[in-house]
Amino acid sequence: TPNGLLTMLVSESGKGKSALALRIAACFIRGDNWPDGSRFTGETGKVVWCESEGALSVNVDRARKAGVPFEQMLSPLPDPLEEFSIDNAEHIERLRTMAARPDVRCIILDSLSGATQQDENSSAMLHSVKKLAIIAAESGKPFLLLHHLNKGLSDGDGVHQRQIRGSSAIIQTARAVWAIDAPDDTDDTHRRLSVVKNNLAAYAPSVGFRIAEGGISFTNEAPRRRKTESATDRAKEFILSALEHGARRSAEVKAEAESLGFSHRSFSDAKDAL
């Protein structure tokens, strides 16, 4: 999270954006190590947390269980239960004032979609996100903006910028974009944090993590795609093996497949695919 610049953290709903943002907040509040295990070397202090999804009580409970002092997290609004809106000029001005405080080390907004009534697919979103980038620049503090990915577009080999929900203008002002996904379809609890945009340095290696009752724990290796083999996949392997030494009569190979338990459909699908 570079000082004075906007960083985005994106994922599908329910993949741990808020929990991870709270863990990032702990770096600035109590000096926890960064997700990759490197030491936090900056000054500790307070974090401004802008809540726009009505999940304050959930995050307070998460902070308590993870041992993060939530009293060190400030709301830019007098009523912390009021949802923050970037469309509200008074809210933006209050955030600007709060961000300028010398004891504040980081600003977090959870999330962009909850903080605006504008159409996410509109190019006007660039103006909205620029407001946040300006606050980051004026305060000299890192600003972490949480946002959503479109569901079901991941190919399992990593998150791509085209999967970020809404207009491409949304990520134009962000200097870095982090993404959370769960590529191993045999273990949805093992998440991967990876860099999908970085205008400041080389892309860092992906980091694995799990969310537990006591907070986030980072793993030695990031999860990878582990494809579940289907009946058609197994039938394809059989056909390739059966033809390893040359052409054979189709009926002969089909009869052999049936004797091994392959269904007519899986055999036919495999033959068509090959």
Side-chain angles (χ1 to χ4, degrees), residues 238 251-264 267:
F238 161 74
E252 180 184 308
V253 176
K254 182 179 178 181
E256 187 178 334
E258 289 176 350
S259 71
L260 293 173
F262 290 103
S263 69
H264 171 76
F267 180 83

Side-chain angles (χ1 to χ4, degrees), residues 99-223:
R101 285 178 41 165
D103 59 341
V104 166
R105 300 287 176 249
C106 178
I107 308 114
I108 297 173
L109 170 55
D110 185 12
S111 66
L112 176 61
S113 55
T116 181
Q117 296 298 313
Q118 294 189 55
D119 180 1
E120 289 182 353
N121 293 300
S122 167
S123 59
M125 284 297 295
L126 176 61
H127 175 69
S128 296
V129 179
K130 269 188 174 179
K131 296 177 188 177
L132 308 178
I134 289 171
I135 290 175
E138 289 177 346
S139 66
K141 314 288 173 59
F143 198 130
L144 183 62
L145 174 62
L146 277 58
H147 189 43
H148 297 278
L149 293 174
N150 286 304
K151 256 194 164 181
L153 293 182
S154 176
D155 59 9
D157 292 324
V159 174
H160 306 281
Q161 291 185 32
R162 65 178 180 273
Q163 294 169 242
I164 298 174
R165 207 167 76 185
S167 168
S168 59
I170 288 175
I171 64 170
Q172 283 185 27
T173 57
R175 292 294 169 261
V177 179
W178 304 343
I180 299 171
D181 69 338
D184 184 352
D185 57 7
T186 67
D187 185 2
D188 183 65
T189 66
H190 197 188
R191 310 290 165 78
R192 175 173 61 183
L193 175 64
S194 53
V195 179
V196 297
K197 176 184 177 180
N198 192 339
N199 292 345
L200 305 170
Y203 283 27
S206 298
V207 174
F209 70 94
R210 296 182 186 275
I211 303 173
E213 187 74 9
I216 281 181
S217 60
F218 296 102
T219 58
N220 291 330
E221 286 191 21

Side-chain angles (χ1 to χ4, degrees), residues 216-236:
I216 281 181
S217 60
F218 296 102
T219 58
N220 291 330
E221 286 191 21
R224 298 177 181 176
R225 185 179 187 182
R226 190 177 302 174
K227 185 178 178 182
T228 303
E229 193 175 51
S230 66
T232 302
D233 291 330
R234 292 193 294 274
K236 285 163 69 174

Side-chain angles (χ1 to χ4, degrees), residues 227 230-240 243 264-274:
K227 185 178 178 182
S230 66
T232 302
D233 291 330
R234 292 193 294 274
K236 285 163 69 174
E237 290 178 3
F238 161 74
I239 293 173
L240 291 173
L243 301 178
H264 171 76
R265 180 172 180 175
S266 63
F267 180 83
S268 178
D269 288 346
K271 189 171 70 167
D272 290 345
L274 290 169

